[in-house]
Amino acid sequence: MFLIWCFMLFNVALFHILLFGADLVEEYFLHAIPTTSMDTKVLRARERARILDMSSMKTNLSKAFVISNPEACSKREIFLLVLIFSSPQNLSRRNAIRKTWANVTRNPGYTTLVLFVLGKPPLATAQVEVIKESDQQQDLIQGIFLDTPENQTLKIKKAIEWTITHCPEARFILKVDEDMFANLQTLAEYLLNLRTHPEDIYLGRVIHPNTPKKEFHNSSLTSLRKYPGRDYPDYCSATALVISQDVARKIYVTSGEVSPSLPPGIFLGVCARAAGVVPIHSSRFSGERRIWYNRCCYKYIFTSTVSETSQLLQEWEEMKSDEDCTLLESYYGLVSCKIMTYLDGLKDSRVNAAQKKALPFAD
């Protein structure tokens, strides 16, 4: 009987080590290797960022935006500036986000500002609707460039330029795509627990270089070859990431030497490395993955892909309750969402493998 109990306890312990130990291994191996020294070029870039004064650029910058919303951050100190990258035609998705996770009225003790970043739509009729939405909501920033897959890096460049010009007091900036769920309260509490004056914060789901398979469009394949280094630097998935204000300034001063035709995630990684900034990995960012929904699990993670608007609204209805999860509920939630997400990943892998096998027959 004693041996049976020992065997059962061993299996339970092994199960938990495999389940939760994966996160610890991931945190260790996906952390970028910090640079031990900074060369003159890096130090010069950091100094340029430190003394950067964008006050004289406010007038000129407005010419790069159809909707510049320059007063969005005025007269208040922003703790977390949330920039949601949205396609101009996706009004229903933006309205759903406003009703759900971007509703920041429930966050006490710190100021969060949510803005949507758009490019121009291809049709003039769609632009009329964007202007109408901006007049009603007052939460849009729109560049003069077309909102196409090829211009997503330019979109990030302009968003960072807007941030350091019109919102220089924002302590942290969350860049997140519109097809994501973001737990702003949990993320803000995590950032509040960092040291008093955090710098060099470039936080997200770290992707190792060399194989940037999911972070670029086909049109960017040629531009990838233009990057002068032999290896791509580690970078955070562009689906959702957090940078501190000083990192935004460092990216801005180094971005002029980096091709905007690079994919967004790699572009930011290259700019960050040029300023001596190392990405910080957190497994609470999902990257492009869809985390299996569980209320207590979603109260712990920072982001998850939720592509369907109806699904986002349905899940938020259950999540918006202020009721805290018990220790047992939190444990069960984390276990169940990890297992189901893993099984979903296996299923997707099998589907992709089957599709690849079918291609020769289709040809």
Side-chain angles (χ1 to χ4, degrees):
M1 181 64 71
F2 175 74
L3 290 175
I4 294 175
W5 275 106
C6 287
F7 179 75
M8 292 175 62
L9 289 173
F10 171 77
N11 280 279
V12 170
L14 180 61
F15 170 76
H16 285 82
I17 289 171
L18 292 173
L19 187 66
F20 294 104
D23 279 348
L24 297 175
V25 172
E26 182 182 89
E27 293 283 351
Y28 177 80
F29 283 107
L30 287 183
H31 268 303
I33 299 172
T35 53
T36 55
S37 61
M38 295 189 185
D39 59 26
T40 305
K41 189 174 181 180
V42 170
L43 293 172
R44 192 180 300 122
R46 294 173 72 89
E47 178 61 17
R48 284 166 54 206
R50 188 185 67 81
I51 64 175
L52 184 66
D53 183 7
M54 298 293 290
S55 56
S56 61
M57 295 290 293
K58 289 185 178 181
T59 303
N60 291 333
L61 183 62
S62 63
K63 298 176 183 177
F65 291 88
V66 181
I67 303 170
S68 61
N69 209 348
E71 303 300 321
C73 298
S74 62
K75 300 179 181 177
R76 52 178 167 167
E77 183 177 341
I78 308 297
F79 176 74
L80 179 61
L81 173 64
V82 182
L83 300 178
I84 304 171
F85 279 48
S86 177
S87 297
Q89 65 271 20
N90 288 352
L91 173 60
S92 60
R93 182 67 180 197
R94 289 192 291 277
N95 283 335
I97 292 173
R98 290 180 181 112
K99 294 176 183 176
T100 56
W101 61 263
N103 184 350
V104 295
T105 57
R106 299 164 60 244
N107 296 337
Y110 51 86
T111 304
T112 304
L113 175 64
V114 177
L115 298 172
F116 292 90
V117 182
L118 289 66
K120 289 176 63 177
L123 300 177
T125 51
Q127 180 59 27
V128 172
E129 294 301 314
V130 169
I131 297 295
K132 187 186 301 182
E133 178 189 359
S134 178
D135 291 339
Q136 293 174 348
Q137 302 292 343
Q138 299 292 311
D139 62 357
L140 300 186
I141 304 169
Q142 186 184 33
I144 60 173
F145 50 85
L146 284 177
D147 204 316
T148 61
E150 296 78 15
N151 282 339
Q152 294 308 298
T153 297
L154 177 60
K155 195 173 184 178
I156 285 184
K157 279 190 68 174
K158 290 302 177 183
I160 289 177
E161 189 176 0
W162 183 94
T163 298
I164 63 176
T165 303
H166 294 302
C167 208
E169 300 302 320
R171 191 176 301 181
F172 297 102
I173 302 99
L174 168 65
K175 182 271 174 191
V176 60
D177 290 343
E178 65 181 349
D179 61 348
M180 305 292 288
F181 159 80
N183 189 335
L184 297 184
Q185 184 172 353
T186 300
L187 177 60
E189 289 170 356
Y190 172 87
L191 295 172
L192 282 166
N193 288 325
L194 297 177
R195 56 188 184 276
T196 309
H197 298 291
E199 290 188 348
D200 284 348
I201 301 300
Y202 172 31
L203 175 71
R205 188 168 194 86
V206 172
I207 296 176
H208 274 313
N210 300 331
T211 53
K213 296 177 182 177
K214 295 184 178 181
E215 289 292 309
F216 59 89
H217 303 278
N218 290 335
S219 60
S220 297
L221 284 170
T222 302
S223 65
L224 290 178
R225 300 190 186 100
K226 297 178 183 177
Y227 180 60
R230 291 183 62 187
D231 296 320
Y232 296 99
D234 291 347
Y235 61 94
C236 292
S237 170
T239 55
L241 57 91
V242 173
I243 56 175
S244 50
Q245 179 71 219
D246 66 293
V247 171
R249 296 162 70 88
K250 290 164 185 170
I251 289 173
Y252 174 77
V253 300
T254 58
S255 63
E257 301 174 7
V258 181
S259 171
S261 59
L262 282 173
I266 296 176
F267 174 83
L268 291 178
V270 173
C271 293
R273 187 170 79 168
V277 177
V278 178
I280 304 166
H281 177 74
S282 172
S283 59
R284 295 166 80 176
F285 285 93
S286 66
E288 295 185 345
R289 295 182 305 169
R290 157 73 176 165
I291 304 299
W292 185 272
Y293 175 74
N294 175 280
R295 183 178 71 91
C296 296
C297 179
Y298 269 48
K299 283 181 176 290
Y300 173 78
I301 63 173
F302 294 150
T303 64
S304 174
T305 297
V306 184
S307 300
E308 297 297 327
T309 299
S310 58
Q311 191 176 35
L312 175 65
L313 292 169
Q314 180 181 348
E315 291 174 358
W316 182 257
E317 276 301 311
E318 182 182 346
M319 249 201 86
K320 68 181 182 180
S321 167
D322 287 328
E323 182 182 351
D324 290 331
C325 294
T326 65
L327 186 61
L328 183 60
E329 287 174 330
S330 298
Y331 167 79
Y332 171 77
L334 288 171
V335 169
S336 61
C337 76
K338 281 178 178 291
I339 292 175
M340 297 307 296
T341 300
Y342 174 74
L343 293 177
D344 275 352
L346 285 180
K347 182 175 69 176
D348 291 341
S349 297
R350 288 173 181 170
V351 170
N352 292 336
Q355 289 175 343
K356 287 180 180 178
K357 288 182 180 178
L359 281 176
F361 297 100
D363 292 339

